[in-house]
Amino acid sequence: MACLLEAPLRISVLSEVTATSRHYVDRLFDPDPQNVLQGVIDMKNAVIGNNKQKANLIVLGAVPRLLYLLQQSSSSLELRTECAVVLGSLAMGTENNIKSLVDCHIIPALLQGSLFCIFACLRCLRTVFISPVTPVQLLYTDPTVIPHLMSLLSRSQHTQEYITQIFAHCCKVAHTTLCALHITYAFIQKYKGNVIMFFLAYENAQVSMTLVNVLVDGEQLSQVFVRMMQRDKPIEMQLTAAKCLTYMCRAGAIRTDDNCIVLKTLPCLVRMCSKERLLEERVEGAETLAYLMEPDVELQRIASVTDHLVSMLADYFKYPSSVSAITDIKRYVDFKSGCNQLRQAAFKLYASLGSNDEDIRKKITETENMMDRIVSGLSESSIKVRLAAVRCLHSLSRSVQQLRTSFHDHAVWKPLMKLLQNAPDEVLVMASSTLCNLLLEFSPSKEPILDSGVIELLCSLTQSDSPALRVNGIWALMNMAFQADQKVKVEIVRALGTEQLFRLLSDPDTNVLMKTLGLLRNLLSTRPHIDQIMSSHGKQIMQAVTLILEGEHSIEVKEQTLCILANIADGNAAKELIMTNDDMLQKIKYYMGHSNVKLQLAATFCISNLIWNEEDGSQERQDKLKDMGFVDILHKLTQASDPNLCDRAKTAMQQYLA
């Protein structure tokens, strides 16, 4: 009975809601233009901050009528403007609202409307275009759109802001290089040296190379930006010019050791991190600096000793301070949001600073309460802060010293394990990557992590649709298996399951395959472990090895596979799985004569293990391999130009002479 009553109840509620919204739409069709205008104004007031009302009006068909009124030449300028304002408000609702607006062809209508009510139409266009659900192709499939928007740039500061935000978003999306180039040339032609073109260089080498060669009144564009970073220039100009040069540098158009980067851009961005700067300037400065030096260890070293940057960043965790509070209160800054933005920026910059240099990592961890702040950040409600905190932890986890000291003292593995239980994929990827480092043999955290039941969690990661998570899951298991006791190895094989293990050995992602081979190699180490695992799974492992050696794989993959075969050959009983498989012996013989030295070395190592004199049955194995022509190959390899291969072949030959 309850189920039967449920549907009519919902219909009743929906009817009541839509009835309260219907009169707004009905008034759009009033024959009196003044009544229509008042109806649009009332609709505008009704939808502000009310997502339910926005959804109702879209369902009731308000959008087509508003677009019609916007495009009619008989509509007054005031009516057109109010229609554009309402459409902009509807666009600020949910992503479904945006989809509905795009489906109603709002973009062509707004572009046409921008000829009359420029400000309102551009603001609405900006809202639509920066949404992730809007196809950016709509910007550049029509060749008239970009020139039209370019023509509106000089109207006001607001038009510049909205149009550049539209271009910025569209140029950051993949496959828009031609669009970016089109915009770049337009900017160069119309606004030589204007800093609003900085976003075009973001991760776009082609555009960056175009910009770096631009001359403005005979001066290189990069030097124009250098002048804009002088201390007497407005802060906004300094920061934007620094971003221009940062993006061009990261795209490869400017060298990281160029003076305009080392002596101008980097110091300018460090200045922006000072507590005297406004909140958004500190955030933007830190995040841009982190991006600038992320791949370059020398820039990281320079930054770490510039204006006490490492200790300066500690102030980001003390917001609001007496200095910042007064300024930001006057600007109605949301303190909770401000705290999160600053902490996120600080964690990002610390992560970038400490990604390579051991001394910098030590300096970071010795900064006041730094490890406590990272641990606290891992459990923050803000996903962005959590992600930045785990990035920072990952950067520091590359240090053997920190793994043995700070990480152990603060038991960082506990909040990290908690983070892995329930988090978005981007957080999971970074957290699991950090866990890989904590599971290295020399890490004191390895044992308590093992005791926490992490194996099941890691095995579940190997089944993820995300290649990065599969890699990290198998990588962590590989580290765990290194020099582990037999109990741990058996538990890994049990939890992972043979089906999943061999599924990973055929994974299309090479990184997953390489880490799986690494895991198998670590599992098959020490003779008792080799014999125990091969007695249970030898047939499947030998099949997997055969498939890889016969397949179209890289040298690195085949080398790792031959190393696994060499480990099997080191087992007491396991080596018979090779000796009784003539097809496998022929494959080893083939790789001993391969043109790649790495493969020759691995294959020769395998034969060396098979014929080792001190083991039972060695004479029979030597005789069989001699009859198959292996001695002749070894003799040739003793003359090899590679010293390692030559020595390995001589060591093997000595087993026959002993």
Side-chain angles (χ1 to χ4, degrees):
M1 294 293 291
C3 291
L4 292 174
L5 290 172
E6 190 175 2
L9 180 63
R10 287 178 178 172
I11 293 171
S12 174
V13 172
L14 182 61
S15 301
E16 183 180 340
V17 171
T18 53
T20 61
S21 305
R22 168 64 66 183
H23 73 282
Y24 289 114
V25 179
D26 290 343
R27 292 171 69 185
L28 300 180
F29 294 88
D30 194 291
D32 186 340
Q34 197 58 39
N35 290 340
V36 173
L37 174 60
Q38 189 57 50
V40 174
I41 293 172
D42 291 343
M43 183 182 289
K44 175 183 69 174
N45 296 330
V47 298
I48 293 174
N50 191 334
N51 280 342
K52 184 180 289 187
Q53 186 71 279
K54 293 175 185 179
N56 287 338
L57 290 172
I58 290 173
V59 170
L60 291 169
V63 174
R65 184 61 180 175
L66 289 168
L67 292 174
Y68 173 81
L69 294 171
L70 176 66
Q71 296 175 89
Q72 287 303 299
S73 57
S74 58
S75 297
S76 66
L77 178 59
E78 186 179 6
L79 176 57
R80 287 180 169 186
T81 302
E82 293 295 344
C83 286
V85 170
V86 173
L87 289 166
S89 186
L90 295 177
M92 290 180 184
T94 65
E95 289 185 353
N96 285 332
N97 289 9
I98 297 282
K99 289 179 181 176
S100 299
L101 293 172
V102 172
D103 290 343
C104 289
H105 307 290
I106 189 174
I107 292 174
L110 290 172
L111 287 169
Q112 179 184 335
S114 64
L115 293 169
F116 308 99
C117 41
I118 299 172
F119 179 75
C121 286
L122 285 179
R123 184 167 60 181
C124 184
L125 271 173
R126 185 271 311 267
T127 304
V128 171
F129 266 115
I130 64 175
S131 169
V133 300
T134 303
V136 297
Q137 295 90 334
L138 296 173
L139 179 70
Y140 59 89
T141 46
D142 182 345
T144 65
V145 172
I146 293 175
H148 170 63
L149 293 175
M150 292 294 303
S151 69
L152 300 176
L153 267 170
S154 59
R155 296 296 184 92
S156 71
Q157 184 177 347
H158 288 301
T159 61
Q160 279 194 1
E161 178 187 345
Y162 294 148
I163 291 170
T164 53
Q165 285 176 353
I166 292 170
F167 287 164
H169 177 75
C170 293
C171 288
K172 286 182 181 179
V173 178
H175 310 305
T176 58
T177 300
L178 289 177
C179 169
L181 281 172
H182 190 161
I183 299 168
T184 302
Y185 283 121
F187 271 125
I188 291 169
Q189 185 178 6
K190 190 174 179 67
Y191 296 100
K192 290 182 179 178
N194 194 308
V195 294
I196 57 178
M197 63 176 118
F198 78 87
F199 59 80
L200 299 170
Y202 182 76
E203 294 186 353
N204 197 323
Q206 200 170 355
V207 170
S208 294
M209 292 306 298
T210 301
L211 290 175
V212 81
N213 291 316
V214 169
L215 294 178
V216 181
D217 298 329
E219 185 179 23
Q220 277 194 319
L221 185 58
S222 59
Q223 292 307 307
V224 175
F225 290 145
V226 166
R227 283 192 285 103
M228 291 177 175
M229 289 188 292
Q230 291 173 357
R231 291 172 183 262
D232 60 341
K233 301 296 183 185
I235 294 298
E236 183 181 3
M237 180 181 289
Q238 291 183 47
L239 186 52
T240 308
K243 290 181 75 171
C244 291
L245 291 169
T246 294
Y247 291 168
M248 291 163 71
C249 177
R250 282 300 308 271
I254 301 176
R255 290 168 55 95
T256 55
D257 58 357
D258 192 295
N259 283 346
C260 74
I261 298 297
V262 177
L263 302 181
K264 299 297 180 181
T265 306
L266 188 147
C268 175
L269 291 171
V270 171
R271 289 200 305 273
M272 297 301 141
C273 298
S274 167
K275 62 183 178 183
E276 281 75 34
R277 299 264 56 85
L278 295 176
L279 183 147
E280 58 266 31
E281 293 164 358
R282 296 171 75 189
V283 169
E284 200 166 1
E287 293 191 343
T288 306
L289 180 56
Y291 181 66
L292 171 65
M293 64 185 180
E294 188 176 31
D296 192 274
V297 63
E298 194 54 39
L299 286 181
Q300 293 159 15
R301 288 170 180 153
I302 294 169
S304 70
V305 295
T306 302
D307 292 347
H308 308 287
L309 177 63
V310 174
S311 57
M312 187 195 301
L313 285 175
D315 290 329
Y316 278 50
F317 298 94
K318 301 173 185 177
Y319 182 86
S321 66
S322 57
V323 176
S324 60
I326 298 172
T327 307
D328 289 332
I329 284 173
K330 292 178 179 178
R331 298 167 55 246
Y332 305 101
V333 169
D334 180 341
F335 284 115
K336 178 63 176 176
S337 173
C339 287
N340 286 341
Q341 289 179 53
L342 284 168
R343 281 183 292 178
Q344 179 187 345
F347 283 138
K348 282 183 179 179
L349 186 45
Y350 276 136
S352 187
L353 276 168
S355 58
N356 290 289
D357 190 277
E358 186 66 31
D359 290 336
I360 299 175
R361 293 185 190 122
K362 187 173 185 293
K363 190 184 292 188
I364 291 171
T365 55
E366 290 176 350
T367 301
E368 54 176 313
N369 303 320
M370 190 60 218
M371 293 305 297
D372 290 332
R373 285 165 176 158
I374 295 174
V375 169
S376 174
L378 294 177
S379 56
E380 270 292 332
S381 58
S382 166
I383 290 177
K384 290 183 177 180
V385 174
R386 268 185 284 162
L387 178 59
V390 78
R391 281 187 193 281
C392 184
L393 192 67
H394 178 253
S395 179
L396 297 175
S397 73
R398 293 171 177 156
S399 163
V400 175
Q401 181 184 1
Q402 298 310 320
L403 285 174
R404 288 175 169 167
T405 55
S406 301
F407 277 54
H408 180 59
D409 295 342
H410 291 81
V412 297
W413 67 270
K414 292 182 180 179
L416 188 65
M417 287 293 294
K418 187 177 180 181
L419 189 62
L420 282 162
Q421 303 299 324
N422 183 26
D425 273 7
E426 58 181 344
V427 176
L428 273 179
V429 168
M430 195 54 60
S432 56
S433 187
T434 306
L435 189 65
C436 289
N437 292 342
L438 267 67
L439 286 169
L440 290 166
E441 183 216 358
F442 47 75
S443 168
S445 302
K446 182 175 182 177
E447 287 304 318
I449 292 173
L450 274 172
D451 295 339
S452 73
V454 72
I455 293 177
E456 295 285 351
L457 171 64
L458 296 175
C459 290
S460 69
L461 290 182
T462 69
Q463 300 178 28
S464 170
D465 291 335
S466 163
L469 285 177
R470 294 202 302 277
V471 167
N472 288 347
I474 204 73
W475 196 343
L477 290 170
M478 182 188 80
N479 288 349
M480 188 185 298
F482 181 73
Q483 295 187 355
D485 58 37
Q486 190 165 351
K487 180 183 175 182
V488 172
K489 292 182 179 180
V490 169
E491 178 59 21
I492 290 173
V493 174
R494 184 206 64 77
L496 190 60
T498 52
E499 285 190 17
Q500 177 61 8
L501 178 61
F502 299 118
R503 192 178 295 119
L504 291 166
L505 286 171
S506 58
D507 197 286
D509 188 286
T510 302
N511 290 326
V512 174
L513 174 56
M514 282 293 288
K515 296 307 175 190
T516 307
L517 291 170
L519 168 62
L520 200 51
R521 187 175 174 183
N522 286 349
L523 290 171
L524 295 169
S525 62
T526 72
R527 288 174 182 169
H529 300 176
I530 294 169
D531 289 334
Q532 195 275 332
I533 292 173
M534 291 304 291
S535 68
S536 305
H537 309 290
K539 183 179 178 181
Q540 300 97 315
I541 290 173
M542 293 299 287
Q543 286 176 346
V545 167
T546 300
L547 288 173
I548 293 172
L549 291 179
E550 289 179 348
E552 295 293 326
H553 293 287
S554 67
I555 296 296
E556 290 73 23
V557 167
K558 293 196 173 185
E559 179 193 16
Q560 189 81 293
T561 306
L562 287 168
C563 287
I564 289 171
L565 208 54
N567 282 14
I568 295 170
D570 192 42
N572 290 321
K575 57 167 51 77
E576 290 306 313
L577 288 167
I578 300 175
M579 289 303 302
T580 57
N581 188 334
D582 286 353
D583 180 59
M584 184 61 72
L585 290 172
Q586 291 295 339
K587 285 180 172 55
I588 296 171
K589 187 177 180 180
Y590 166 77
Y591 283 108
M592 287 177 71
H594 199 277
S595 58
N596 186 278
V597 172
K598 289 181 179 179
L599 298 183
Q600 288 180 293
L601 265 169
T604 305
F605 187 39
C606 184
I607 291 300
S608 183
N609 283 346
L610 289 174
I611 63 176
W612 202 255
N613 263 325
E614 299 172 2
E615 299 168 9
D616 293 341
S618 60
Q619 187 61 54
E620 290 82 357
R621 290 191 293 274
Q622 287 180 11
D623 291 343
K624 178 175 180 177
L625 294 175
K626 183 177 182 180
D627 292 342
M628 292 181 70
F630 279 91
V631 173
D632 294 336
I633 298 174
L634 286 172
H635 182 70
K636 289 180 182 177
L637 292 179
T638 59
Q639 309 300 318
S641 58
D642 183 84
N644 293 325
L645 180 57
C646 178
D647 290 345
R648 175 58 60 189
K650 287 178 180 178
T651 301
M653 283 295 293
Q654 287 171 4
Q655 304 307 306
Y656 278 97
L657 300 174

